[in-house]
C-alpha cells in the first residue's frame, strides 16, 4: 500500500474515532443524571472534537485535495468513515455510556502514548497533546465504572450488561490490516496486536475492582475501521451531525 | 523602516493586558499560551499554544490579541498556532496563580488537587467533579466553609 494513502487512512481512523465518540457523548448535553456529569460529559466531548480537528486537519493536508477537517467531517458518507464500531454504539443508559468510554479510553491512551514517540513528527505532536486529555478521561471513566459496578445491585447489573453488550467490539482495535502494517513498517504507529496485553491488564484490574466479569466469548464484531461494515447506527448519527452542512452548504458562523 | 516598529518587550506588555476570555482576572500571558513574539520584517508574529484541544476560547483569544494590538497601532499581525510542546499548567505565571486564588479559583498543584480552599484557606477538601465550568477546571468543595470552588486542573 502506498505510504501516503495509508497515512491518510490511518489519520481518518484516529479522527473519525474522536469525531463519532465526541458526537455521541455530546448527545448527553442537557440530559445527564446530574449537573456535574452533564458538564463533565460536555467537556469530554469538547476534548474529543478538538482532537478531531487536529487529526482530520492533518488528514486533509496529507491527502492534498484541499479538503479541510470540516469537509471530511461533514461531507463524507457512512462508507467513508473509518471509526471503530465501538464508538458508534448508542449511549444507552449513563452506565453504558461510561463503559463505552472506559473501553475506548483504555485503548486510546496507550495508543496515543505510542504515537507520541512514533516516527511521524506531526502525528507525535498531536498525540502528545491528546494523551494529556485522554489520561484524564481514563481516570474518570475508570472511577465511574468501578463506582457503578461495585455500587448497588441495580447499578452492578446494568454495568455487567453494558460490558457484555460492548465486549464483542473490543477485538477490532487490536486487529491489524494493511493500513496498520504500513504504519508499523513506517515506524509511525505500533502493531495493534502488541497493545492488547496492556489493555487486558488495565481492563482486568478495573473490572476486578468493579466486581464485574469480563466475558469469555470470543465472538467479535469488526468492519468499522476498514469501513467495510459499519453498524446501522452510524448513518443515523450522520443524519444529525451533517444535516446543517447538507441543507445549507458552506454555512459558517 | 528599521526600528520603526514597537519592541517585542512593549508587545509582551500589551499582551499582558489582554484578559483570558473565560477567566478575565488573568491575562493570556499569565496563562502561558503566548509562547513567542517576533517581527518578521513588517509583520508581527505572535505564537500561541492552545490550552485544551477543544477549548472554545481559542479562536476568541486570537481575535482579542489582534484587537489589542490593533488598538496600539499594530495592524500587520500573524497569529501562529504551535501545539508542541503541549501546553502545561507549569507555564502559568506566579502573578497568574496569585490572581486565580484571589478570584476564588484554586491554582493547579502537582499533587493533583487543590492545596487549600481559596476562600477560607482550610485544607479539608473534597472533589465534587473532575470537570468544572470550563475544560481547564474541576469542581471541589471545602468541608470547613462548605463552599464549592473551581480548581484549575494540573496538566
Ligand atoms: Zn473554605
Amino acid at each position: 500500500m502506498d505510504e501516503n494513502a495509508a497515512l491518510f487512512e490511518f489519520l481518518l481512523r484516529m479522527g473519525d474515532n474522536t469525531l463519532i465518540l465526541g458526537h455521541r457523548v455530546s448527545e448527553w448535553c442537557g440530559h445527564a443524571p446530574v449537573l456535574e456529569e452533564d458538564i463533565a460529559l460536555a467537556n469530554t466531548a469538547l476534548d474529543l472534537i478538538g482532537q478531531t480537528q487536529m487529526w482530520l486537519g492533518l488528514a486533509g493536508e496529507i491527502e492534498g485535495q484541499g479538503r479541510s477537517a470540516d469537509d471530511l467531517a461533514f461531507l463524507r458518507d457512512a462508507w467513508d468513515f473509518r471509526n471503530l464500531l465501538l464508538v458508534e454504539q448508542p449511549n444507552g443508559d449513563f452506565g453504558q455510556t461510561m463503559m463505552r468510554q472506559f473501553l475506548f479510553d483504555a485503548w486510546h491512551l496507550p495508543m496515543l502514548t505510542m504515537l507520541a514517540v512514533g516516527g511521524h513528527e506531526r502525528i507525535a505532536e498531536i498525540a502528545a497533546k491528546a494523551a494529556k486529555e485522554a489520561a484524564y478521561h481514563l481516570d474518570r471513566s475508570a472511577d465511574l465504572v468501578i463506582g457503578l459496578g461495585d455500587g448497588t445491585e441495580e447499578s452492578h447489573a446494568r454495568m455487567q450488561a453494558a460490558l457484555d453488550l460492548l465486549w464483542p467490539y473490543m477485538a477490532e482495535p487490536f486487529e491489524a490490516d494493511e493500513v496498520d502494517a504500513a504504519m508499523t513498517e513506517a515506524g509511525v504507529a505500533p502493531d495493534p496486536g502488541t497493545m492488547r496485553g496492556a489493555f487486558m491488564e488495565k481492563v482486568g484490574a478495573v473490572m476486578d475492582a468493579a466486581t464485574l466479569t469480563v466475558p469469555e466469548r470470543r465472538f467479535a464484531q469488526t468492519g468499522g475501521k476498514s469501513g467495510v461494515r459499519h453498524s446501522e447506527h452510524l448513518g443515523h448519527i450522520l443524519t444529525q451531525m451533517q444535516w446543517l452542512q447538507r441543507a445549507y452548504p458552506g454555512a459558517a458562523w | 523602516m528599521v526600528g520603526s516598529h514597537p519592541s517585542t518587550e512593549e508587545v509582551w506588555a500589551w499582551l499582558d493586558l489582554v484578559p483570558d476570555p473565560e477567566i478575565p482576572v488573568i491575562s493570556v500571558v499569565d496563562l502561558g499560551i503566548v509562547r513567542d513574539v517576533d517581527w518578521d520584517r513588517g509583520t508581527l508574529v505572535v505564537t500561541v499554544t492552545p490550552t485544551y484541544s477543544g477549548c472554545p476560547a481559542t479562536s476568541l483569544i486570537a481575535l482579542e490579541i489582534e484587537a489589542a494590538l490593533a488598538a496600539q497601532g499594530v495592524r500587520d499581525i500573524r497569529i501562529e498556532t504551535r501545539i508542541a510542546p503541549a501546553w502545561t499548567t507549569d507555564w502559568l505565571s506566579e502573578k497568574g496563580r496569585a490572581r486565580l486564588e484571589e478570584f476564588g479559583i484554586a491554582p493547579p498543584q502537582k499533587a493533583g488537587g487543590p492545596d487549600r480552599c481559596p476562600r477560607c484557606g482550610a485544607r479539608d477538601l473534597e472533589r465534587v467533579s473532575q470537570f468544572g465550568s470550563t475544560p481547564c477546571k474541576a469542581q471541589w468543595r471545602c468541608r470547613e466553609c462548605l463552599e464549592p470552588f473551581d480548581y484549575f486542573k494540573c496538566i
Side-chain angles (χ1 to χ4, degrees):
Chain A
M1 191 174 196
D2 170 38
E3 196 188 318
N4 217 53
L7 201 53
F8 175 65
E9 284 286 310
F10 180 77
L11 288 165
L12 288 185
R13 291 177 181 188
M14 295 305 294
D16 287 347
N17 279 332
T18 50
L19 174 63
I20 299 301
L21 186 60
H23 185 85
R24 269 289 185 234
V25 174
S26 79
E27 290 171 358
W28 276 103
C29 201
H31 300 277
V34 293
L35 184 60
E36 285 77 9
E37 293 307 329
D38 204 287
I39 291 170
L41 287 162
N43 274 304
T44 302
L46 212 54
D47 284 343
L48 293 168
I49 299 299
Q51 294 168 18
T52 304
Q53 282 190 316
M54 297 192 284
W55 291 126
L56 294 187
L58 182 56
E61 281 181 49
I62 297 285
E63 186 195 31
Q65 308 275 337
R67 288 202 280 182
S68 67
D70 280 353
D71 293 337
L72 290 169
F74 298 125
L75 301 176
R76 281 179 301 150
D77 213 333
W79 46 78
D80 296 324
F81 274 76
R82 297 292 182 263
N83 57 279
L84 296 167
L85 293 176
L86 174 76
V87 300
E88 65 197 44
Q89 298 312 304
N91 287 337
D93 58 24
F94 177 74
Q96 189 178 317
T97 291
M98 292 321 300
M99 181 62 78
R100 186 188 58 201
Q101 188 70 40
F102 169 72
L103 294 173
F104 179 77
D105 296 339
W107 164 78
H108 197 211
L109 178 60
M111 179 66 172
L112 293 171
T113 308
M114 294 297 284
L115 292 178
V117 295
H120 193 288
E121 195 186 350
R122 301 276 304 277
I123 289 180
E125 288 179 0
I126 296 172
K129 173 127 193 85
K132 287 186 163 201
E133 293 158 3
Y136 204 77
H137 297 170
L138 179 59
D139 274 354
R140 178 180 129 79
S141 59
D143 263 11
L144 280 163
V145 165
I146 293 169
L148 292 168
D150 187 21
T152 64
E153 210 174 297
E154 173 75 16
S155 71
H156 174 87
R158 287 186 183 222
M159 293 310 277
Q160 185 64 54
L163 180 58
D164 294 346
L165 180 76
L166 296 173
W167 193 247
Y169 300 103
M170 293 322 294
E172 185 177 24
F174 305 103
E175 279 179 7
D177 61 10
E178 57 171 356
V179 174
D180 296 304
M183 290 298 96
T184 308
E185 172 84 33
V188 172
D191 173 357
T194 60
M195 296 175 50
R196 194 186 188 99
F199 171 81
M200 288 304 294
E201 208 170 296
K202 177 73 181 177
V203 169
V206 168
M207 295 310 159
D208 277 353
T211 70
L212 298 172
T213 311
V214 177
E216 295 202 357
R217 286 177 295 146
R218 305 297 297 236
F219 175 70
Q221 293 277 14
T222 58
K225 73 179 191 179
S226 64
V228 170
R229 192 175 55 250
H230 280 286
S231 64
E232 70 274 27
H233 306 296
L234 181 63
H236 291 269
I237 296 174
L238 298 188
T239 57
Q240 263 225 337
M241 193 179 79
Q242 298 184 332
W243 81 268
L244 197 136
Q245 282 302 325
R246 300 285 190 181
Y248 304 95
W253 287 108
Chain B
M1 292 296 285
V2 175
S4 70
H5 53 59
S7 69
T8 53
E9 287 78 18
E10 270 179 294
V11 175
W12 277 103
W14 293 334
L15 293 177
D16 199 24
L17 298 173
V18 177
D20 173 69
E22 285 178 338
I23 312 167
V25 288
I26 60 171
S27 77
V28 294
V29 173
D30 287 327
L31 190 59
I33 59 171
V34 179
R35 302 313 299 160
D36 200 16
V37 170
D38 208 357
W39 288 96
D40 175 11
R41 295 170 189 245
T43 303
L44 180 62
V45 183
V46 180
T47 306
V48 172
T49 294
T51 53
Y52 285 80
S53 311
C55 185
T58 306
S59 53
L60 184 60
I61 287 171
L63 213 72
E64 299 209 325
I65 287 176
E66 284 185 28
L69 295 175
Q72 300 291 345
V74 184
R75 291 180 195 282
D76 194 356
I77 304 157
R78 187 167 78 237
I79 299 200
E80 290 191 349
T81 303
R82 181 193 291 168
I83 66 164
W87 179 78
T88 157
T89 38
D90 294 349
W91 293 346
L92 273 170
S93 70
E94 280 306 315
K95 165 166 80 77
R97 294 176 64 92
R99 291 237 179 114
L100 281 177
E101 195 165 22
E102 273 170 46
F103 189 59
I105 300 172
Q109 303 292 342
K110 284 279 176 233
D115 182 42
R116 61 184 181 207
C117 169
R119 294 173 198 281
C120 75
R123 292 176 191 275
D124 187 9
L125 314 169
E126 63 179 345
R127 191 179 73 195
V128 178
S129 174
Q130 268 159 303
F131 287 89
S133 54
T134 62
C136 58
K137 287 176 277 172
Q139 277 182 67
W140 283 66
R141 185 187 292 118
C142 171
R143 290 206 185 99
E144 284 289 323
C145 70
L146 303 180
E147 288 292 333
F149 63 90
D150 274 333
Y151 163 63
F152 204 104
K153 284 153 43 177
C154 185
I155 72 162

